[in-house]
Amino acid sequence: MILAVNLNASIDKAYTVENFKPGTVTRVKEVIPTAGGKGLNVARVLNSLNQTVSVTGFIGGFSGAFIEQQLKEQKMPFEFIHVNGETRSCINIIDLSSNIHTELLEPGPYISEEELDEFLEFYTSSVKQYDVITLSGSAPRGIDTDIYAKLVSIAKDANKKVILDTSGEYLAKGIQSSPTLAKPNKSEAELLLGRKLKDTGDLASAAKELVGMGPEIVAISLGAEGVMVASGLTKEAYLAVPPKIRPVNTVGCGDAMVAGFATGLSNNWPLTECIKYAVAVSAAAALSPVTGGIVLKEVDNIIGSMDFHNLYLL
Amino acid sequence: MILAVNLNASIDKAYTVENFKPGTVTRVKEVIPTAGGKGLNVARVLNSLNQTVSVTGFIGGFSGAFIEQQLKEQKMPFEFIHVNGETRSCINIIDLSSNIHTELLEPGPYISEEELDEFLEFYTSSVKQYDVITLSGSAPRGIDTDIYAKLVSIAKDANKKVILDTSGEYLAKGIQSSPTLAKPNKSEAELLLGRKLKDTGDLASAAKELVGMGPEIVAISLGAEGVMVASGLTKEAYLAVPPKIRPVNTVGCGDAMVAGFATGLSNNWPLTECIKYAVAVSAAAALSPVTGGIVLKEVDNIIGSMDFHNLYLL
């Protein structure tokens, strides 16, 4: 059983427009609103993979009620802490004339100290019933950047496996609490280490160096190039590259990879099996037009034609 | 007692941003959501003018519930028809770096035939208890462009005064049902007549020509230049120009002018008094930073220093 944490929920609105220009008034042709957030994407993929999953975080106001209604319709179990402010919207403006995408991310509500305490209390008692906890994305305002470090520690104190997928300060502080697995993408890993990662050798030593900072396993996701994983337990690095596919929608593929890892860890698979499955689920997500959706029947095919390498590091 | 019709309600969201550019991801610094729509602006100003007013139209979903909650907090009476779809949002992106404003208007929900019938039934029985009905703005999808023609006819059949402030096809069809007063702005009048209106003479003959199409009174609003009014009853035109002021926020000044006219018509003032009051209320609205707000104490001062002309047309 898996708990997917999504602190900063959002209504993601896709706006279809034509000839969008700053300084003008644009009538939006179509609006498609969906319950959004990286943790929610993880949970949706886990649902498709037939894993038992619940999603949690903060939710507020009428926008929050809209999200809860959508999750109910999708039969996605959730248990949110209700806060005073309004849950945010994130706008993706898709210009049909130029094919240029423009995003506007609202900051989300301020979370009070009492609301954060309520969440931490819920989380601490809740993690006991799960095998794996996934922590994804940013946090709403009013919450310190050490939040994921705290959430990792609480999960580990309860002897649970925990996957961390965040960025910037949240990631820098979070990995110090030694999550089971940290999944930065390449640019997040570069930001954390303060250098460019140019080739396989760079990536392998980067993953090793990040393991040295705390996590048991570090998986640097590489988009179409798959993933570079280093393990502090096996003292090995692994490079898994999926076959060439025709991607339909690459938004949320990193979240799908987290869902793949969570499935493997929850079922106590060997690490190499976890990695292959995570890469296949991520590639299968690129084949689905729906963010947080996957083309399930392709997972086994992708595993079958994957390029997999063990790299001895130590 | 005045009924303000606002068919296409909206949550107007002001986004404060920096360096907004298409093709990028922008984190919004601050979001200020308000219950929006031209009819709502009219109703708010009428409230400030101590007139008894209620607002109606369609409202839907969680966004609609947000608007009703805001109106309750503002002690604004309302009676909306609840529809299946979600009420729209309209985004105003205010770039602090360049001072460029960019607007994105969502289309609003589709209104079903049954929902429209429900509204028309409510409206027909409701207008009986009001002296003046104001009709403002556009209509949501699924509603034919003759909607305002219908709403004018229903109000006139009940012997009520009705003010029409809309544009395009809604206006072209609406004026044929002979509203008591139509208030296009200059560009709406130009669009309707298919020619540019360059000077006072042009404006006076345009107003007269529009009166010939149906309305008893036509008021062409001219922004800081006030209003040109033609009356089919007095066979005169009137030009009212407010004193020079320092505008703070000119959004909603046309709606404030409608509120001024509605107040005058509701209290059976002579037409010249209605005009002076409407222009003063519109100018007082430009002095308030809040859309739909006015600086009430300035109304009498502005009337006192107004430039007012009778132009004999026939």
Side-chain angles (χ1 to χ4, degrees), chain A residues 166-173 175 184-198 203 206 209-210 213 220-221, chain B residues 27:
Chain A
T166 181
S167 55
E169 285 286 296
Y170 299 120
L171 175 60
K173 291 181 178 167
I175 56 172
N185 61 27
K186 194 178 144 198
S187 65
E188 285 156 358
E190 288 176 336
L191 204 67
L192 203 56
L193 295 169
R195 64 174 191 266
K196 285 275 165 195
L197 304 174
K198 284 170 200 156
L203 286 163
E209 194 175 330
L210 291 174
M213 293 180 182
I220 303 178
S221 58
Chain B
R27 289 188 182 274

PDB file of all heavy atoms in Angstrom, chain A residues 166-173 175 184-198 203 206 209-210 213 220-221, chain B residues 27:
ATOM      1  N   THR A 166      11.582  16.027  -5.652  1.00  0.00           N
ATOM      2  CA  THR A 166      11.320  17.462  -5.556  1.00  0.00           C
ATOM      3  C   THR A 166      12.542  18.188  -6.109  1.00  0.00           C
ATOM      4  O   THR A 166      13.386  17.573  -6.764  1.00  0.00           O
ATOM      5  CB  THR A 166      10.963  17.836  -4.104  1.00  0.00           C
ATOM      6  OG1 THR A 166      10.681  19.232  -4.034  1.00  0.00           O
ATOM      7  CG2 THR A 166      12.092  17.509  -3.131  1.00  0.00           C
ATOM      8  N   SER A 167      12.639  19.505  -5.865  1.00  0.00           N
ATOM      9  CA  SER A 167      13.731  20.256  -6.488  1.00  0.00           C
ATOM     10  C   SER A 167      14.221  21.361  -5.557  1.00  0.00           C
ATOM     11  O   SER A 167      13.628  21.609  -4.501  1.00  0.00           O
ATOM     12  CB  SER A 167      13.251  20.843  -7.815  1.00  0.00           C
ATOM     13  OG  SER A 167      12.094  21.607  -7.609  1.00  0.00           O
ATOM     14  N   GLY A 168      15.303  22.008  -5.963  1.00  0.00           N
ATOM     15  CA  GLY A 168      15.828  23.178  -5.245  1.00  0.00           C
ATOM     16  C   GLY A 168      16.143  22.878  -3.789  1.00  0.00           C
ATOM     17  O   GLY A 168      16.697  21.834  -3.452  1.00  0.00           O
ATOM     18  N   GLU A 169      15.767  23.816  -2.920  1.00  0.00           N
ATOM     19  CA  GLU A 169      16.023  23.703  -1.482  1.00  0.00           C
ATOM     20  C   GLU A 169      15.321  22.497  -0.860  1.00  0.00           C
ATOM     21  O   GLU A 169      15.847  21.854   0.042  1.00  0.00           O
ATOM     22  CB  GLU A 169      15.524  24.973  -0.761  1.00  0.00           C
ATOM     23  CG  GLU A 169      16.409  26.184  -0.952  1.00  0.00           C
ATOM     24  CD  GLU A 169      17.684  26.055  -0.138  1.00  0.00           C
ATOM     25  OE1 GLU A 169      17.602  26.020   1.102  1.00  0.00           O
ATOM     26  OE2 GLU A 169      18.763  25.966  -0.765  1.00  0.00           O
ATOM     27  N   TYR A 170      14.091  22.239  -1.336  1.00  0.00           N
ATOM     28  CA  TYR A 170      13.335  21.085  -0.818  1.00  0.00           C
ATOM     29  C   TYR A 170      14.152  19.804  -0.989  1.00  0.00           C
ATOM     30  O   TYR A 170      14.206  18.957  -0.114  1.00  0.00           O
ATOM     31  CB  TYR A 170      12.015  20.908  -1.569  1.00  0.00           C
ATOM     32  CG  TYR A 170      11.050  22.064  -1.474  1.00  0.00           C
ATOM     33  CD1 TYR A 170      10.627  22.734  -2.618  1.00  0.00           C
ATOM     34  CD2 TYR A 170      10.538  22.461  -0.239  1.00  0.00           C
ATOM     35  CE1 TYR A 170       9.720  23.776  -2.543  1.00  0.00           C
ATOM     36  CE2 TYR A 170       9.628  23.508  -0.154  1.00  0.00           C
ATOM     37  CZ  TYR A 170       9.225  24.168  -1.306  1.00  0.00           C
ATOM     38  OH  TYR A 170       8.339  25.190  -1.226  1.00  0.00           O
ATOM     39  N   LEU A 171      14.779  19.677  -2.175  1.00  0.00           N
ATOM     40  CA  LEU A 171      15.568  18.483  -2.487  1.00  0.00           C
ATOM     41  C   LEU A 171      16.878  18.483  -1.701  1.00  0.00           C
ATOM     42  O   LEU A 171      17.247  17.473  -1.087  1.00  0.00           O
ATOM     43  CB  LEU A 171      15.847  18.443  -3.998  1.00  0.00           C
ATOM     44  CG  LEU A 171      16.746  17.334  -4.520  1.00  0.00           C
ATOM     45  CD1 LEU A 171      16.157  15.957  -4.220  1.00  0.00           C
ATOM     46  CD2 LEU A 171      16.986  17.493  -6.033  1.00  0.00           C
ATOM     47  N   ALA A 172      17.562  19.640  -1.706  1.00  0.00           N
ATOM     48  CA  ALA A 172      18.865  19.744  -1.038  1.00  0.00           C
ATOM     49  C   ALA A 172      18.742  19.351   0.432  1.00  0.00           C
ATOM     50  O   ALA A 172      19.582  18.615   0.972  1.00  0.00           O
ATOM     51  CB  ALA A 172      19.405  21.168  -1.176  1.00  0.00           C
ATOM     52  N   LYS A 173      17.691  19.841   1.096  1.00  0.00           N
ATOM     53  CA  LYS A 173      17.503  19.504   2.511  1.00  0.00           C
ATOM     54  C   LYS A 173      16.931  18.096   2.668  1.00  0.00           C
ATOM     55  O   LYS A 173      17.281  17.382   3.608  1.00  0.00           O
ATOM     56  CB  LYS A 173      16.581  20.539   3.169  1.00  0.00           C
ATOM     57  CG  LYS A 173      17.242  21.908   3.280  1.00  0.00           C
ATOM     58  CD  LYS A 173      16.356  22.934   3.952  1.00  0.00           C
ATOM     59  CE  LYS A 173      17.096  24.266   4.066  1.00  0.00           C
ATOM     60  NZ  LYS A 173      16.190  25.364   4.431  1.00  0.00           N
ATOM     61  N   ILE A 175      17.283  15.290   0.904  1.00  0.00           N
ATOM     62  CA  ILE A 175      18.140  14.097   0.751  1.00  0.00           C
ATOM     63  C   ILE A 175      19.000  13.856   1.990  1.00  0.00           C
ATOM     64  O   ILE A 175      19.425  12.734   2.237  1.00  0.00           O
ATOM     65  CB  ILE A 175      19.048  14.150  -0.509  1.00  0.00           C
ATOM     66  CG1 ILE A 175      19.922  15.390  -0.525  1.00  0.00           C
ATOM     67  CG2 ILE A 175      18.231  14.025  -1.775  1.00  0.00           C
ATOM     68  CD1 ILE A 175      20.976  15.361  -1.654  1.00  0.00           C
ATOM     69  N   PRO A 184      15.914  12.934  -8.693  1.00  0.00           N
ATOM     70  CA  PRO A 184      16.017  14.215  -9.402  1.00  0.00           C
ATOM     71  C   PRO A 184      16.041  13.945 -10.903  1.00  0.00           C
ATOM     72  O   PRO A 184      16.412  12.847 -11.326  1.00  0.00           O
ATOM     73  CB  PRO A 184      17.374  14.754  -8.934  1.00  0.00           C
ATOM     74  CG  PRO A 184      18.167  13.540  -8.611  1.00  0.00           C
ATOM     75  CD  PRO A 184      17.189  12.507  -8.110  1.00  0.00           C
ATOM     76  N   ASN A 185      15.628  14.918 -11.713  1.00  0.00           N
ATOM     77  CA  ASN A 185      15.931  14.782 -13.141  1.00  0.00           C
ATOM     78  C   ASN A 185      17.335  15.364 -13.367  1.00  0.00           C
ATOM     79  O   ASN A 185      17.977  15.841 -12.413  1.00  0.00           O
ATOM     80  CB  ASN A 185      14.861  15.417 -14.037  1.00  0.00           C
ATOM     81  CG  ASN A 185      14.701  16.908 -13.796  1.00  0.00           C
ATOM     82  OD1 ASN A 185      15.647  17.578 -13.367  1.00  0.00           O
ATOM     83  ND2 ASN A 185      13.518  17.435 -14.038  1.00  0.00           N
ATOM     84  N   LYS A 186      17.797  15.333 -14.585  1.00  0.00           N
ATOM     85  CA  LYS A 186      19.181  15.717 -14.848  1.00  0.00           C
ATOM     86  C   LYS A 186      19.445  17.167 -14.428  1.00  0.00           C
ATOM     87  O   LYS A 186      20.449  17.455 -13.764  1.00  0.00           O
ATOM     88  CB  LYS A 186      19.489  15.534 -16.343  1.00  0.00           C
ATOM     89  CG  LYS A 186      20.971  15.574 -16.659  1.00  0.00           C
ATOM     90  CD  LYS A 186      21.193  15.330 -18.150  1.00  0.00           C
ATOM     91  CE  LYS A 186      22.332  16.151 -18.673  1.00  0.00           C
ATOM     92  NZ  LYS A 186      22.328  16.294 -20.113  1.00  0.00           N
ATOM     93  N   SER A 187      18.538  18.078 -14.770  1.00  0.00           N
ATOM     94  CA  SER A 187      18.821  19.486 -14.453  1.00  0.00           C
ATOM     95  C   SER A 187      18.740  19.741 -12.949  1.00  0.00           C
ATOM     96  O   SER A 187      19.467  20.576 -12.413  1.00  0.00           O
ATOM     97  CB  SER A 187      17.911  20.428 -15.247  1.00  0.00           C
ATOM     98  OG  SER A 187      16.580  20.255 -14.870  1.00  0.00           O
ATOM     99  N   GLU A 188      17.878  18.997 -12.250  1.00  0.00           N
ATOM    100  CA  GLU A 188      17.837  19.143 -10.788  1.00  0.00           C
ATOM    101  C   GLU A 188      19.134  18.623 -10.165  1.00  0.00           C
ATOM    102  O   GLU A 188      19.659  19.226  -9.214  1.00  0.00           O
ATOM    103  CB  GLU A 188      16.627  18.383 -10.211  1.00  0.00           C
ATOM    104  CG  GLU A 188      15.303  19.105 -10.458  1.00  0.00           C
ATOM    105  CD  GLU A 188      14.074  18.180 -10.444  1.00  0.00           C
ATOM    106  OE1 GLU A 188      14.239  16.938 -10.282  1.00  0.00           O
ATOM    107  OE2 GLU A 188      12.959  18.686 -10.620  1.00  0.00           O
ATOM    108  N   ALA A 189      19.643  17.523 -10.707  1.00  0.00           N
ATOM    109  CA  ALA A 189      20.916  16.963 -10.202  1.00  0.00           C
ATOM    110  C   ALA A 189      22.055  17.947 -10.476  1.00  0.00           C
ATOM    111  O   ALA A 189      22.920  18.165  -9.621  1.00  0.00           O
ATOM    112  CB  ALA A 189      21.191  15.617 -10.857  1.00  0.00           C
ATOM    113  N   GLU A 190      22.033  18.568 -11.672  1.00  0.00           N
ATOM    114  CA  GLU A 190      23.077  19.546 -12.018  1.00  0.00           C
ATOM    115  C   GLU A 190      23.046  20.744 -11.073  1.00  0.00           C
ATOM    116  O   GLU A 190      24.082  21.238 -10.608  1.00  0.00           O
ATOM    117  CB  GLU A 190      22.890  20.017 -13.474  1.00  0.00           C
ATOM    118  CG  GLU A 190      23.271  18.949 -14.493  1.00  0.00           C
ATOM    119  CD  GLU A 190      23.007  19.365 -15.938  1.00  0.00           C
ATOM    120  OE1 GLU A 190      22.143  20.246 -16.164  1.00  0.00           O
ATOM    121  OE2 GLU A 190      23.646  18.801 -16.832  1.00  0.00           O
ATOM    122  N   LEU A 191      21.827  21.200 -10.775  1.00  0.00           N
ATOM    123  CA  LEU A 191      21.653  22.350  -9.873  1.00  0.00           C
ATOM    124  C   LEU A 191      22.186  22.008  -8.483  1.00  0.00           C
ATOM    125  O   LEU A 191      22.853  22.814  -7.831  1.00  0.00           O
ATOM    126  CB  LEU A 191      20.162  22.688  -9.797  1.00  0.00           C
ATOM    127  CG  LEU A 191      19.791  24.111  -9.398  1.00  0.00           C
ATOM    128  CD1 LEU A 191      20.220  25.100 -10.475  1.00  0.00           C
ATOM    129  CD2 LEU A 191      18.284  24.224  -9.167  1.00  0.00           C
ATOM    130  N   LEU A 192      21.900  20.792  -8.042  1.00  0.00           N
ATOM    131  CA  LEU A 192      22.290  20.350  -6.706  1.00  0.00           C
ATOM    132  C   LEU A 192      23.807  20.239  -6.593  1.00  0.00           C
ATOM    133  O   LEU A 192      24.398  20.595  -5.569  1.00  0.00           O
ATOM    134  CB  LEU A 192      21.634  18.983  -6.456  1.00  0.00           C
ATOM    135  CG  LEU A 192      21.411  18.534  -5.027  1.00  0.00           C
ATOM    136  CD1 LEU A 192      20.599  19.551  -4.260  1.00  0.00           C
ATOM    137  CD2 LEU A 192      20.686  17.187  -5.018  1.00  0.00           C
ATOM    138  N   LEU A 193      24.452  19.764  -7.674  1.00  0.00           N
ATOM    139  CA  LEU A 193      25.905  19.523  -7.639  1.00  0.00           C
ATOM    140  C   LEU A 193      26.699  20.715  -8.156  1.00  0.00           C
ATOM    141  O   LEU A 193      27.918  20.774  -8.004  1.00  0.00           O
ATOM    142  CB  LEU A 193      26.247  18.273  -8.473  1.00  0.00           C
ATOM    143  CG  LEU A 193      25.677  16.955  -7.912  1.00  0.00           C
ATOM    144  CD1 LEU A 193      25.817  15.829  -8.916  1.00  0.00           C
ATOM    145  CD2 LEU A 193      26.397  16.601  -6.607  1.00  0.00           C
ATOM    146  N   GLY A 194      26.007  21.670  -8.771  1.00  0.00           N
ATOM    147  CA  GLY A 194      26.692  22.866  -9.249  1.00  0.00           C
ATOM    148  C   GLY A 194      27.590  22.622 -10.452  1.00  0.00           C
ATOM    149  O   GLY A 194      28.576  23.326 -10.644  1.00  0.00           O
ATOM    150  N   ARG A 195      27.278  21.594 -11.251  1.00  0.00           N
ATOM    151  CA  ARG A 195      28.070  21.374 -12.466  1.00  0.00           C
ATOM    152  C   ARG A 195      27.205  20.684 -13.530  1.00  0.00           C
ATOM    153  O   ARG A 195      26.195  20.047 -13.214  1.00  0.00           O
ATOM    154  CB  ARG A 195      29.314  20.528 -12.157  1.00  0.00           C
ATOM    155  CG  ARG A 195      29.023  19.115 -11.683  1.00  0.00           C
ATOM    156  CD  ARG A 195      30.304  18.294 -11.542  1.00  0.00           C
ATOM    157  NE  ARG A 195      30.032  16.887 -11.346  1.00  0.00           N
ATOM    158  CZ  ARG A 195      29.947  16.297 -10.150  1.00  0.00           C
ATOM    159  NH1 ARG A 195      30.101  17.005  -9.040  1.00  0.00           N
ATOM    160  NH2 ARG A 195      29.695  14.995 -10.063  1.00  0.00           N
ATOM    161  N   LYS A 196      27.632  20.817 -14.786  1.00  0.00           N
ATOM    162  CA  LYS A 196      26.932  20.173 -15.904  1.00  0.00           C
ATOM    163  C   LYS A 196      27.283  18.687 -15.939  1.00  0.00           C
ATOM    164  O   LYS A 196      28.418  18.315 -15.644  1.00  0.00           O
ATOM    165  CB  LYS A 196      27.346  20.832 -17.236  1.00  0.00           C
ATOM    166  CG  LYS A 196      26.699  22.196 -17.447  1.00  0.00           C
ATOM    167  CD  LYS A 196      25.308  22.048 -18.053  1.00  0.00           C
ATOM    168  CE  LYS A 196      24.515  23.344 -17.922  1.00  0.00           C
ATOM    169  NZ  LYS A 196      23.072  23.147 -18.170  1.00  0.00           N
ATOM    170  N   LEU A 197      26.304  17.863 -16.305  1.00  0.00           N
ATOM    171  CA  LEU A 197      26.544  16.415 -16.420  1.00  0.00           C
ATOM    172  C   LEU A 197      26.449  16.062 -17.893  1.00  0.00           C
ATOM    173  O   LEU A 197      25.379  16.051 -18.480  1.00  0.00           O
ATOM    174  CB  LEU A 197      25.504  15.645 -15.603  1.00  0.00           C
ATOM    175  CG  LEU A 197      25.441  16.045 -14.117  1.00  0.00           C
ATOM    176  CD1 LEU A 197      24.289  15.340 -13.414  1.00  0.00           C
ATOM    177  CD2 LEU A 197      26.757  15.747 -13.397  1.00  0.00           C
ATOM    178  N   LYS A 198      27.612  15.790 -18.504  1.00  0.00           N
ATOM    179  CA  LYS A 198      27.655  15.721 -19.967  1.00  0.00           C
ATOM    180  C   LYS A 198      27.501  14.310 -20.520  1.00  0.00           C
ATOM    181  O   LYS A 198      26.878  14.107 -21.549  1.00  0.00           O
ATOM    182  CB  LYS A 198      28.961  16.334 -20.477  1.00  0.00           C
ATOM    183  CG  LYS A 198      28.916  17.864 -20.408  1.00  0.00           C
ATOM    184  CD  LYS A 198      30.275  18.478 -20.677  1.00  0.00           C
ATOM    185  CE  LYS A 198      30.336  19.893 -20.129  1.00  0.00           C
ATOM    186  NZ  LYS A 198      31.695  20.324 -19.845  1.00  0.00           N
ATOM    187  N   LEU A 203      27.262  11.169 -15.260  1.00  0.00           N
ATOM    188  CA  LEU A 203      25.989  10.846 -14.602  1.00  0.00           C
ATOM    189  C   LEU A 203      26.189   9.784 -13.533  1.00  0.00           C
ATOM    190  O   LEU A 203      25.620   9.864 -12.440  1.00  0.00           O
ATOM    191  CB  LEU A 203      24.969  10.358 -15.643  1.00  0.00           C
ATOM    192  CG  LEU A 203      24.392  11.461 -16.542  1.00  0.00           C
ATOM    193  CD1 LEU A 203      23.730  10.851 -17.776  1.00  0.00           C
ATOM    194  CD2 LEU A 203      23.391  12.319 -15.762  1.00  0.00           C
ATOM    195  N   ALA A 206      27.863  11.363 -10.634  1.00  0.00           N
ATOM    196  CA  ALA A 206      26.918  12.269  -9.970  1.00  0.00           C
ATOM    197  C   ALA A 206      25.960  11.475  -9.086  1.00  0.00           C
ATOM    198  O   ALA A 206      25.725  11.822  -7.921  1.00  0.00           O
ATOM    199  CB  ALA A 206      26.127  13.060 -11.003  1.00  0.00           C
ATOM    200  N   GLU A 209      27.787  10.347  -6.078  1.00  0.00           N
ATOM    201  CA  GLU A 209      28.038  11.462  -5.155  1.00  0.00           C
ATOM    202  C   GLU A 209      26.763  11.815  -4.390  1.00  0.00           C
ATOM    203  O   GLU A 209      26.800  12.103  -3.179  1.00  0.00           O
ATOM    204  CB  GLU A 209      28.526  12.666  -5.976  1.00  0.00           C
ATOM    205  CG  GLU A 209      29.131  13.764  -5.124  1.00  0.00           C
ATOM    206  CD  GLU A 209      29.719  14.880  -6.000  1.00  0.00           C
ATOM    207  OE1 GLU A 209      30.162  14.584  -7.137  1.00  0.00           O
ATOM    208  OE2 GLU A 209      29.712  16.035  -5.541  1.00  0.00           O
ATOM    209  N   LEU A 210      25.620  11.776  -5.077  1.00  0.00           N
ATOM    210  CA  LEU A 210      24.346  12.093  -4.415  1.00  0.00           C
ATOM    211  C   LEU A 210      23.992  11.024  -3.381  1.00  0.00           C
ATOM    212  O   LEU A 210      23.470  11.345  -2.302  1.00  0.00           O
ATOM    213  CB  LEU A 210      23.220  12.232  -5.454  1.00  0.00           C
ATOM    214  CG  LEU A 210      23.329  13.471  -6.366  1.00  0.00           C
ATOM    215  CD1 LEU A 210      22.254  13.443  -7.454  1.00  0.00           C
ATOM    216  CD2 LEU A 210      23.227  14.768  -5.557  1.00  0.00           C
ATOM    217  N   MET A 213      25.382  11.749  -0.146  1.00  0.00           N
ATOM    218  CA  MET A 213      24.735  12.817   0.650  1.00  0.00           C
ATOM    219  C   MET A 213      23.604  12.301   1.527  1.00  0.00           C
ATOM    220  O   MET A 213      23.053  13.053   2.319  1.00  0.00           O
ATOM    221  CB  MET A 213      24.176  13.883  -0.296  1.00  0.00           C
ATOM    222  CG  MET A 213      25.253  14.662  -1.047  1.00  0.00           C
ATOM    223  SD  MET A 213      24.457  15.897  -2.121  1.00  0.00           S
ATOM    224  CE  MET A 213      25.883  16.623  -2.921  1.00  0.00           C
ATOM    225  N   ILE A 220      18.640   9.302 -11.385  1.00  0.00           N
ATOM    226  CA  ILE A 220      18.609  10.556 -12.152  1.00  0.00           C
ATOM    227  C   ILE A 220      17.851  10.273 -13.443  1.00  0.00           C
ATOM    228  O   ILE A 220      18.331   9.532 -14.303  1.00  0.00           O
ATOM    229  CB  ILE A 220      20.027  11.069 -12.457  1.00  0.00           C
ATOM    230  CG1 ILE A 220      20.827  11.257 -11.157  1.00  0.00           C
ATOM    231  CG2 ILE A 220      19.951  12.393 -13.224  1.00  0.00           C
ATOM    232  CD1 ILE A 220      22.268  11.709 -11.366  1.00  0.00           C
ATOM    233  N   SER A 221      16.652  10.847 -13.567  1.00  0.00           N
ATOM    234  CA  SER A 221      15.834  10.574 -14.757  1.00  0.00           C
ATOM    235  C   SER A 221      16.327  11.429 -15.911  1.00  0.00           C
ATOM    236  O   SER A 221      16.695  12.591 -15.747  1.00  0.00           O
ATOM    237  CB  SER A 221      14.353  10.830 -14.475  1.00  0.00           C
ATOM    238  OG  SER A 221      14.146  12.156 -14.049  1.00  0.00           O
TER     239      SER A 221
ATOM    240  N   ARG B  27       5.864  32.161 -12.566  1.00  0.00           N
ATOM    241  CA  ARG B  27       5.259  31.998 -11.248  1.00  0.00           C
ATOM    242  C   ARG B  27       4.551  33.300 -10.879  1.00  0.00           C
ATOM    243  O   ARG B  27       5.170  34.360 -10.852  1.00  0.00           O
ATOM    244  CB  ARG B  27       6.313  31.641 -10.193  1.00  0.00           C
ATOM    245  CG  ARG B  27       6.836  30.240 -10.387  1.00  0.00           C
ATOM    246  CD  ARG B  27       7.734  29.732  -9.287  1.00  0.00           C
ATOM    247  NE  ARG B  27       8.194  28.393  -9.647  1.00  0.00           N
ATOM    248  CZ  ARG B  27       7.522  27.277  -9.378  1.00  0.00           C
ATOM    249  NH1 ARG B  27       6.386  27.318  -8.709  1.00  0.00           N
ATOM    250  NH2 ARG B  27       7.988  26.110  -9.768  1.00  0.00           N
TER     251      ARG B  27
END
